[in-house]
Amino acid sequence: IDVDLLMQHVNYEGGYTADDPYMKNFWEVFRNRFDDELRSRFIQFVWGRSRIPLEGEVWPQNMRITRTTNTSRLPISHTCYFQLELPRYPTVEDMYSKLKTAVEMCGDFANS
């Protein structure tokens, strides 16, 4: 997954911006804590596909990241809308743990 390319195709909603500290934590996790397989599984979780369009290909829609407030919940995805509802987890470790759990649970459900 080309992280820089994905970052160019994100709409932030619900109060999030690209410069928001929580978004910086999200991208830190996605870029540096997730390996290639987990990044691919994340795209599957949030979009129902295992990869993003390549450079120069048409993007049918941008990924939407929407702010939610309940940090005790896992992130929620809406694959039809390429949307992630992402709580404001206070630390990079919390962000990593919750995202990884959501992504892995989605894969386990899809394979059962």
Side-chain angles (χ1 to χ4, degrees), residues 23-34 92:
M23 288 297 88
K24 290 186 183 298
N25 286 351
F26 169 80
W27 290 114
E28 167 66 22
V29 166
F30 193 76
R31 180 185 300 275
N32 298 316
R33 301 285 300 272
F34 280 14
V92 170

Side-chain angles (χ1 to χ4, degrees), residues 52-101:
I52 61 173
L54 301 174
E55 182 91 37
E57 289 183 342
V58 174
W59 284 66
Q61 60 195 30
N62 284 349
M63 182 169 77
R64 297 166 50 199
I65 302 178
T66 304
R67 188 179 87 178
T68 60
T69 56
N70 189 344
T71 58
S72 66
R73 299 188 69 171
L74 293 174
I76 298 169
S77 67
H78 303 279
T79 57
C80 292
Y81 304 106
F82 196 8
Q83 181 181 9
L84 177 68
E85 292 184 20
L86 186 66
R88 300 172 76 189
Y89 300 120
T91 67
V92 170
E93 190 55 42
D94 288 336
M95 180 75 71
Y96 172 73
S97 174
K98 298 283 187 163
L99 272 173
K100 184 174 186 275
T101 299

